């Protein structure tokens, strides 16, 4: 069709170094660029409406597309469809552990083809389909975490894990589902199938004795009961794939001058990109500075009724949508945004939320709420009189600020 890159149009161009697309391109057909040895990034034009199956099979590059495109998006260097229900392409260089968004339903054929540096991947419970050769030749894959207790049916696809060392790569599955995976086609090829969930009853400083060195590499969901202190929070940093942490039944003990009781320690999760869900203790009163700063994977956090003090740097650069228990006397949550109780100060805005935001007319003060924000446009109310020093630090996407206060 006109304005499309035809099926197999540039397939196997091993000497091709760079590719530029015409601005009027609307589609890329099946296998159009498969096995093309492209150097550098690949920038798709804004008007793309269709990407065919295996269009970018074995293409090493990061594929970018303008945010204004209505059909596709680049999220953390991975190409998805717009609502992130389908994974299309991962660049070869991607290393460490990839936590797929909880929205993913389909992993396209060859999405991770030849991603030889990929160390681990977490497949959410929503995923129902994994296509042909999805993880072909991912030879460095050490851990596959599947969150659905019922094995995904892989019989309709071929060579999904060809080249993966299934004799050494761990398959981590939900509690009680090892038997199901051990008898399911394709999944049963993994020699080591382990449970990715664990519940421990802790006493202060003893968490390291309750989780084995091997479990550090595959436990994704951890439920802690009993009591813990700052030493246990530090130990949690050693858990390589931990993405869900339930502390709802924990009491936090103090430890001399290092930390106080009933407080989330300063910096305890700073920069943790793997955490997706944290449930706070029902007895905690304080969230200290940088506790969840730059946590770009957290989807939501609920502030319990017991919280009386949240440091203004507690959530800087954090992606979490925040809700607040309606019985809390000090804070208020609305649409994922954290305010003080009377909504006169805005304390946190989810860092990955894009587009335009109009600050409510009740707000007179902005703390460090928009540190690292992805917003492009923001509107200040006439009521606004105070901005903290880091209110908009590292907000590189911000293009316009509308000020309604004449003074």
């Amino acid at each position: 069709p006109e304005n499309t890159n035809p099926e197999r149009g540039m397939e196997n161009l091993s000497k091709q170094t760079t590719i530029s697309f015409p601005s009027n391109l609307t589609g890329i057909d099946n296998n159009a660029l498969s096995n093309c040895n492209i150097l550098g990034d690949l920038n798709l034009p804004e008007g793309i409406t269709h990407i065919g199956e295996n269009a970018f099979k074995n293409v090493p590059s990061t594929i970018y597309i303008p945010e204004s495109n209505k059909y596709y998006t680049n999220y953390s260097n991975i190409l998805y469809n717009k609502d992130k229900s389908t994974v299309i392409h991962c660049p070869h260089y991607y290393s460490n552990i990839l936590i797929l968004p909880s929205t993913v339903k389909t992993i396209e054929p060859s999405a991770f083809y030849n991603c030889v540096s990929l160390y681990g991947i977490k497949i959410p419970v929503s995923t129902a389909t994994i296509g042909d050769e999805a993880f072909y030749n991912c030879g460095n894959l050490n851990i596959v975490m599947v969150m659905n207790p019922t094995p995904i049916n892989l019989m309709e696809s071929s060579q999904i894990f060809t080249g993966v060392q299934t004799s050494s790569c761990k398959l981590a599955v939900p509690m009680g589902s090892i038997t199901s995976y051990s008898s399911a086609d394709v999944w049963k090829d993994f020699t080591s199938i382990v449970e990715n969930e664990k519940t421990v009853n802790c006493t202060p400083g003893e968490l390291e004795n309750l989780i084995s060195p091997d479990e550090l590499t595959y436990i994704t969901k951890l439920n802690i009961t009993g009591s813990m202190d700052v030493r246990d929070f530090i130990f949690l940093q050693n858990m390589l794939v931990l993405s869900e942490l339930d502390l709802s039944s924990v009491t936090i003990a103090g430890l001399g001058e290092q930390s106080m009781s009933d407080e989330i320690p300063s910096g305890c999760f700073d920069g943790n990109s793997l955490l997706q869900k944290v449930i706070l203790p029902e007895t905690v009163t304080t969230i200290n500075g940088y506790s969840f700063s730059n946590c770009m994977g957290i989807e939501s956090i609920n502030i319990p009724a017991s919280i009386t003090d949240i440091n203004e740097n507690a959530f800087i650069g954090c992606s979490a949508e925040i809700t607040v228990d309606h019985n809390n006397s000090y804070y208020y949550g609305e649409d994922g945004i954290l305010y003080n109780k009377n909504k006169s100060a805005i304390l946190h805005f989810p860092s990955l939320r894009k587009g335009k935001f109009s600050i409510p007319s009740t707000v007179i003060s902005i703390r460090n709420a928009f540190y690292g924000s992805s917003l492009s446009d923001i509107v200040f109310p006439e009521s606004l009189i105070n901005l903290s020093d880091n209110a908009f630090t590292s907000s590189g996407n911000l293009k316009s600020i509308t000020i309604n206060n004449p003074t």
Side-chain angles (χ1 to χ4, degrees):
E2 187 178 356
N3 299 333
T4 66
N5 194 326
E7 185 166 345
R8 301 187 185 276
M10 290 186 284
E11 185 179 20
N12 297 318
L13 288 180
S14 60
K15 294 183 180 180
Q16 181 75 45
T17 57
T18 59
I19 292 178
S20 297
F21 294 108
S23 59
N24 64 345
L25 188 72
T26 59
I28 300 175
D29 286 342
N30 297 350
N31 299 288
L33 285 88
S34 62
N35 298 307
C36 286
N37 187 22
I38 300 169
L39 297 179
D41 299 333
L42 196 59
N43 294 287
L44 303 182
E46 182 180 14
I48 291 289
T49 62
H50 168 72
I51 296 175
E53 193 171 283
N54 290 313
F56 302 112
K57 175 181 178 179
N58 201 26
V59 170
S61 312
T62 300
I63 299 173
Y64 292 101
I65 192 162
E67 289 182 13
S68 54
N69 184 277
K70 297 179 180 180
Y71 300 91
Y72 301 98
T73 188
N74 177 298
Y75 176 73
S76 298
N77 295 325
I78 313 296
L79 184 66
Y80 298 86
N81 66 341
K82 194 64 176 182
D83 64 2
K84 295 197 287 289
S85 62
T86 301
V87 189
I88 299 170
H89 175 266
C90 177
H92 287 181
Y93 66 81
Y94 199 102
S95 59
N96 297 322
I97 298 163
L98 175 62
I99 306 294
L100 292 178
S102 60
T103 51
V104 170
K105 298 178 182 178
T106 300
I107 299 175
E108 284 271 278
S110 72
F112 296 91
Y113 193 104
N114 214 24
C115 289
V116 294
S117 298
L118 187 65
Y119 181 87
I121 188 162
K122 180 185 176 186
I123 300 172
V125 68
S126 56
T127 302
T129 304
I130 301 177
D132 297 342
E133 300 179 323
F135 296 97
Y136 189 95
N137 203 35
C138 292
N140 196 46
L141 202 59
N142 276 261
I143 178 75
V144 175
M145 298 159 280
V146 187
M147 305 312 293
N148 196 328
T150 302
I152 303 166
N153 184 355
L154 303 181
M155 289 302 293
E156 300 299 320
S157 301
S158 63
Q159 297 186 298
I160 295 173
F161 295 109
T162 297
V164 173
Q165 304 302 313
T166 54
S167 61
S168 57
C169 177
K170 284 188 177 65
L171 176 63
V173 300
M175 190 175 296
S177 60
I178 288 179
T179 300
S180 296
Y181 278 87
S182 297
S183 59
D185 288 312
V186 182
W187 298 114
K188 66 183 179 182
D189 295 339
F190 287 85
T191 302
S192 178
I193 303 179
V194 295
E195 290 184 342
N196 59 25
E197 303 177 40
K198 185 164 186 172
T199 296
V200 296
N201 185 44
C202 190
T203 55
E206 291 299 313
L207 185 60
E208 63 179 351
N209 297 321
L210 302 175
I211 298 174
S212 71
D214 194 39
E215 288 175 324
L216 291 175
T217 67
Y218 63 79
I219 294 296
T220 63
K221 297 177 67 175
L222 181 63
N223 176 37
I224 304 177
T225 62
S227 185
M228 57 192 296
D229 64 24
V230 65
R231 294 170 294 178
D232 303 304
F233 280 95
I234 293 172
F235 176 77
L236 286 172
Q237 297 170 10
N238 297 315
M239 300 193 70
L240 302 180
V241 296
L242 183 65
S243 59
E244 298 183 33
L245 179 63
D246 186 349
L247 302 176
S248 58
S249 299
V250 160
T251 58
I252 300 176
L255 186 65
E257 296 181 356
Q258 292 188 53
S259 65
M260 304 295 290
S261 60
D262 297 324
E263 295 188 3
I264 302 296
S266 299
C268 60
F269 299 110
D270 179 30
N272 190 320
S273 61
L274 298 181
L275 272 179
Q276 289 181 299
K277 181 180 180 181
V278 178
I279 302 177
L280 298 179
E282 295 294 330
T283 55
V284 70
T285 61
T286 302
I287 303 178
N288 282 307
Y290 307 100
S291 293
F292 297 97
S293 58
N294 300 307
C295 289
M296 300 298 287
I298 295 183
E299 297 173 351
S300 64
I301 292 179
N302 182 65
I303 304 299
S306 57
I307 293 284
T308 61
D309 181 32
I310 299 176
N311 184 279
E312 68 174 354
N313 293 318
F315 295 106
I316 60 170
C318 178
S319 59
E321 305 270 337
I322 292 185
T323 58
V324 179
D325 189 294
H326 69 278
N327 290 318
N328 188 290
S329 301
Y330 296 85
Y331 297 98
Y332 173 75
E334 182 178 87
D335 192 28
I337 304 163
L338 179 65
Y339 302 88
N340 64 344
K341 189 63 176 182
N342 65 6
K343 210 176 172 182
S344 64
I346 184 167
L347 310 176
H348 168 75
F349 190 91
S351 63
L352 294 180
R353 193 179 293 183
K354 299 178 180 180
K356 180 179 179 179
F357 177 66
S358 296
I359 295 175
S361 59
T362 56
V363 171
I364 63 175
S365 175
I366 299 176
R367 309 291 171 81
N368 295 336
F370 298 96
Y371 184 105
S373 173
S374 300
L375 286 174
S376 57
D377 306 274
I378 194 163
V379 179
F380 287 176
E382 187 174 347
S383 58
L384 187 66
I385 59 175
N386 177 261
L387 294 175
S388 70
D389 291 342
N390 292 308
F392 292 94
T393 298
S394 301
S395 297
N397 289 333
L398 197 59
K399 295 181 175 64
S400 72
I401 298 176
T402 301
I403 301 175
N404 289 315
N405 191 331
T407 59

